[in-house]
Amino acid sequence: MLRNTDIAGLLTRYKNGLLKLPYGLNAFPYPPPVCNLIESVLSPMKFAIQKASTVLAGILLSSSLSVGVRSQCPDFTTYSASPQGNPSNGTLGLPFMRPAPACRTFNSTAVEQVIDDMKARLKDPDVARLFENTFPNTLDTTVRYYNQTENLAFIITGDITAQWLRDTANQFAHYRSLLSIDPDLATLVKAVINNEARYITQYPYCGAFQPPPESGLAPSSNGYAVDVIVNPPVDNQTVFECKYEIDSLCGFLKLSTSYYNETRDASILNDNWFSAINQIFQVINNQSQGSWDEDFNFISFYNWTGSAGSLSPAVNNGGNGEPKAYTGMVGTHHRPSDDLSTFAFLTPANAMLSVELTNLALMLDEAGQGANISQSAKEWSSRINESIWANTLVDDVFAYETNGYGGRYVMDDANVPSLLSLPYLGFLERDNPSYVATRKILLSRKNPYFAAGQNFSGIGGPHIDAWNPWPMSQISAIFGTDDDEEIMQSLYLIVNNTDGLGLIHESVSIYNQSDFTRTWFAWANSYFAEMLLDLAERKPGLIFDEAVSYVPGK
C-alpha cells in the first residue's frame, strides 16, 4: 500500500532533484501499479512546473527539476546527429527528432495544438514530420534558463551556448500569433526581451552574449573572441562575441514590437527597455556618419580586429574596415553571417532597420509613450528608406553593399536580412520590379555566392564556403515569390536535403548532400516552420489536402 508518507517522501526527493524521470518510472522500488499511481501524481506537476515554475502548496521546484531531469537527458548536439524516433510514412521516412517530453526545455499547449493542426492538414508525411520537428525546436531545446520572477530568460542558438540577439528574434518569430492565447509563452518572450535590453544597455555593439549571472550558468569560452581587440572594450564574462551587426539591434526591435502587437502588454516598456532603445539610437547616429570629418580626422566609434595569434583575422584600417561616406544609411561592421562586411552600408540590414523603426514608432504611438523616440524613429526610417532607393539601385538591381563613394558589391548572402528576403522583411512587395530584377540575378551565376549541384542549390556565403549553399536561402526564396512551381521546387530542395535527419541544417554541399554543417541550428528550424505557416495561409492548396487557409491561434 502506498502511504501518504511515501508520497511526501517522493515529493521531497522530486523537489531536491533526486528523483529523475526523463524516460519513465522504471527505477522506482515499487510494483508497476504503484509506479503508475506515482506517475499520475507527478507527471501533471512536472508539466505545470515547466510551464509556470510553481506547484501545489506553493513549492518552487523548477530549478531542481531541471537539474534532475537534464542530468539524464542526452545532449541535443549528439542527439540530432543521428535518426531517433519512428520514421514518417513518406518516401523519405524522416525520423521523429523531438526530445522526450521531460527533456524539453519549455512546454506550450498552444504549440502542441498547432503541430496537431498542421499534421492533420499537410498532405506529404515527410513535410508534416519536418514541421513536427522544427516548429517546437526552439522551445524543445534552447531555453537554457528562465525565471519568471526575475523576468529573465537565456536562449541559446542551438549547438553554441550563447544568445545571439538576431537568432533569438528569429527563433521566436513563428510563435508570434500564439502570444495572445498562451500567456506562459508570452511571459517567456517578455523575459527574453528584458534580458536582451540589459545586454544592449551595457554593450550595444555586441551581438552574442553569455548567460545572465542570475542563472548560475558558467560563461562559455569562445576561441574566436580570445585576443580580439574591441573598442569600446567588453567583458567576455558577459559578452560571447562582440561583432557589430546592425541587424542584431533590429532583431531586438522586431521581438519587442511583435510581442506588444500580439499582447498589448506595455509593461515591457520599462526603464531597462528605454535604456536599450537610447543606446540603439546612439549607434544609429554614430554609424551613419562618414569616416572622415571636414579636417580629415578619421571618425571611429567602434573597431574590432584580431591580434597576433588569434583565430579571428586582423581588420584593415586599425580594425575599422573600409571607409564610408555619408549617405543617410547606417553602417555595419559585420554581416548577419558574422562575417566582415566588404562595404559598410549593407542594403538588406538597412531595409530591415527602416521597417523596424517604423514598427517601433507605431508601437510607441499606440502605447502612448516615448513620443520623442517615436518621432526620431519615423525620421530615421524615412531617411534610410530614401537612401536605399537613391544609392543602392543600378539598372533596377539592388547592391548588397555600398560605401557612399560609388563602390557597390552585387551579391547576396543566405543569412537574413538578405536581398532575397526583402519581401519577408516587409520592405517591399514580391512583385516590385526592382526586387524581381534583383532576385533573377541572385538566383543565378551572376551572384558569386549562388551554387548549384545535382541535388541541392542555393545561396551561401563566405561564412562556410562558396560551394555550401544554405537551406535558409531557399526558405527566403519561397517567401519572395507567388509562383507555385518556384515554391514547390524550393520546398523540396529543402525537404530532400536533411540527410535523413529531419532537421534543417546550416549549409549543404553541392557535391555531397551528406556533407553539411550544424545538425542543430534552431534559427533555421524556426525559419522553415515559419515558411510553412506562411504557405498554410497564403498557398494552402500547395501543401494541404484541402485548399483552406490556416492561421495558428485564429
Side-chain angles (χ1 to χ4, degrees):
M1 178 178 180
L2 186 64
R3 299 164 299 182
N4 290 339
T5 52
D6 292 324
I7 295 177
L10 290 170
L11 292 178
T12 300
R13 293 176 66 201
Y14 200 48
K15 172 184 175 183
N16 294 330
L18 300 175
L19 193 60
K20 305 177 176 69
L21 307 173
Y23 305 115
L25 298 159
N26 56 352
F28 267 29
Y30 295 98
V34 175
C35 290
N36 292 336
L37 176 58
I38 296 170
E39 185 170 33
S40 71
V41 173
L42 294 183
S43 292
M45 289 175 58
K46 176 170 55 183
F47 184 72
I49 289 164
Q50 291 170 324
K51 289 185 63 182
S53 300
T54 56
V55 296
L56 299 174
I59 302 173
L60 185 63
L61 303 182
S62 60
S63 60
S64 56
L65 173 63
S66 176
V67 171
V69 170
R70 289 183 188 172
S71 66
Q72 294 190 20
C73 292
D75 176 76
F76 198 74
T77 303
T78 303
Y79 187 87
S80 61
S82 59
Q84 298 298 329
N86 293 330
S88 66
N89 294 324
T91 304
L92 299 174
L94 296 178
F96 179 76
M97 296 296 287
R98 296 186 68 184
C103 292
R104 297 170 189 169
T105 57
F106 190 90
N107 287 282
S108 165
T109 54
V111 166
E112 299 301 328
Q113 185 62 57
V114 173
I115 294 171
D116 290 343
D117 291 347
M118 288 289 284
K119 285 171 60 181
R121 289 167 169 80
L122 288 162
K123 57 187 174 184
D124 185 336
D126 291 321
V127 175
R129 176 51 55 82
L130 269 179
F131 185 82
E132 183 178 18
N133 290 339
T134 59
F135 183 68
N137 187 251
T138 288
L139 298 183
D140 279 358
T141 66
T142 69
V143 184
R144 186 54 58 92
Y145 175 76
Y146 170 47
N147 189 302
Q148 180 179 343
T149 304
E150 295 170 344
N151 194 24
L152 294 173
F154 180 68
I155 311 298
I156 62 174
T157 184
D159 54 7
I160 304 174
T161 307
Q163 180 164 327
W164 261 262
L165 302 178
R166 169 189 60 250
D167 287 47
T168 303
N170 291 298
Q171 284 170 242
F172 281 90
H174 60 317
Y175 300 139
R176 173 176 177 169
S177 64
L178 302 182
L179 299 182
S180 62
I181 62 174
D182 187 338
D184 293 328
L185 179 58
T187 303
L188 171 65
V189 174
K190 179 180 178 179
V192 174
I193 293 168
N194 191 55
N195 189 36
E196 291 191 343
R198 293 202 317 184
Y199 290 145
I200 294 170
T201 295
Q202 191 171 8
Y203 296 111
Y205 280 102
C206 302
F209 295 89
Q210 304 280 10
E214 293 88 346
S215 69
L217 299 172
S220 300
S221 176
N222 179 11
Y224 285 90
V226 174
D227 295 325
V228 171
I229 301 169
V230 179
N231 182 52
V234 301
D235 179 358
N236 286 340
Q237 296 297 297
T238 301
V239 175
F240 183 80
E241 187 169 71
C242 195
K243 292 178 177 177
Y244 161 55
E245 302 148 346
I246 191 64
D247 66 284
S248 293
L249 301 179
C250 294
F252 174 74
L253 296 178
K254 175 181 177 178
L255 193 61
S256 297
T257 57
S258 296
Y259 173 84
Y260 177 81
N261 289 338
E262 294 298 324
T263 66
R264 288 300 188 266
D265 175 15
S267 67
I268 62 165
L269 309 179
N270 54 27
D271 291 343
N272 188 38
W273 186 86
F274 275 109
S275 178
I277 294 298
N278 288 334
Q279 288 284 51
I280 290 172
F281 276 96
Q282 187 66 52
V283 170
I284 290 172
N285 279 290
N286 291 346
Q287 294 302 322
S288 65
Q289 299 182 36
S291 297
W292 300 101
D293 71 9
E294 59 185 10
D295 297 319
F296 277 97
N297 296 304
F298 197 87
I299 302 170
S300 175
F301 296 95
Y302 165 91
N303 55 62
W304 179 98
T305 190
S307 59
S310 70
L311 294 175
S312 295
V315 178
N316 60 350
N317 295 313
N320 292 290
E322 286 295 302
K324 64 183 186 295
Y326 176 82
T327 65
M329 286 183 283
V330 179
T332 188
H333 204 272
H334 288 81
R335 298 170 177 170
S337 60
D338 296 329
D339 301 306
L340 282 166
S341 301
T342 298
F343 296 133
F345 297 124
L346 182 62
T347 302
N350 274 273
M352 183 180 186
L353 180 59
S354 177
V355 169
E356 295 306 331
L357 287 174
T358 293
N359 292 338
L360 172 65
L362 291 171
M363 178 185 72
L364 292 173
D365 290 347
E366 169 72 23
Q369 298 191 41
N372 58 330
I373 297 174
S374 173
Q375 184 60 34
S376 293
K378 293 171 185 175
E379 292 172 0
W380 271 111
S381 177
S382 176
R383 185 179 302 131
I384 294 166
N385 183 290
E386 291 174 3
S387 181
I388 290 172
W389 291 101
N391 293 292
T392 73
L393 275 174
V394 172
D395 296 330
D396 229 19
V397 173
F398 289 104
Y400 183 69
E401 292 171 342
T402 57
N403 63 2
Y405 291 104
R408 53 189 278 111
Y409 192 0
V410 178
M411 60 156 284
D412 204 17
D413 189 287
N415 284 261
V416 179
S418 61
L419 291 176
L420 195 61
S421 70
L422 288 177
Y424 167 78
L425 299 174
F427 182 72
L428 43 64
E429 298 298 325
R430 297 180 186 92
D431 60 356
N432 180 280
S434 297
Y435 176 73
V436 173
T438 303
R439 177 189 173 93
K440 185 176 180 180
I441 296 290
L442 301 180
L443 296 174
S444 76
R445 288 181 176 271
K446 294 182 179 180
N447 174 7
Y449 283 99
F450 174 83
Q454 184 175 354
N455 296 308
F456 190 64
S457 64
I459 299 169
H463 192 72
I464 305 298
D465 52 49
W467 49 92
N468 270 266
W470 294 37
M472 189 179 288
S473 68
Q474 292 293 352
I475 298 172
S476 295
I478 292 172
F479 275 111
T481 184
D482 281 317
D483 185 282
D484 292 356
E485 184 177 347
E486 289 181 358
I487 289 171
M488 296 306 287
Q489 181 180 10
S490 291
L491 176 61
Y492 278 92
L493 279 173
I494 302 165
V495 173
N496 293 331
N497 282 281
T498 73
D499 199 39
L501 294 176
L503 292 166
I504 310 303
H505 300 140
E506 180 185 52
S507 71
V508 179
S509 170
I510 62 170
Y511 306 124
N512 177 6
Q513 62 192 113
S514 293
D515 181 6
F516 59 85
T517 58
R518 300 188 72 179
T519 60
W520 180 22
F521 186 22
W523 174 12
N525 289 319
S526 294
Y527 197 35
F528 177 82
E530 186 180 6
M531 174 269 293
L532 281 183
L533 289 174
D534 172 66
L535 293 181
E537 179 180 8
R538 181 166 61 97
K539 294 276 189 176
L542 293 182
I543 58 174
F544 287 169
D545 288 316
E546 299 181 5
V548 178
S549 292
Y550 170 75
V551 179
K554 301 294 190 294

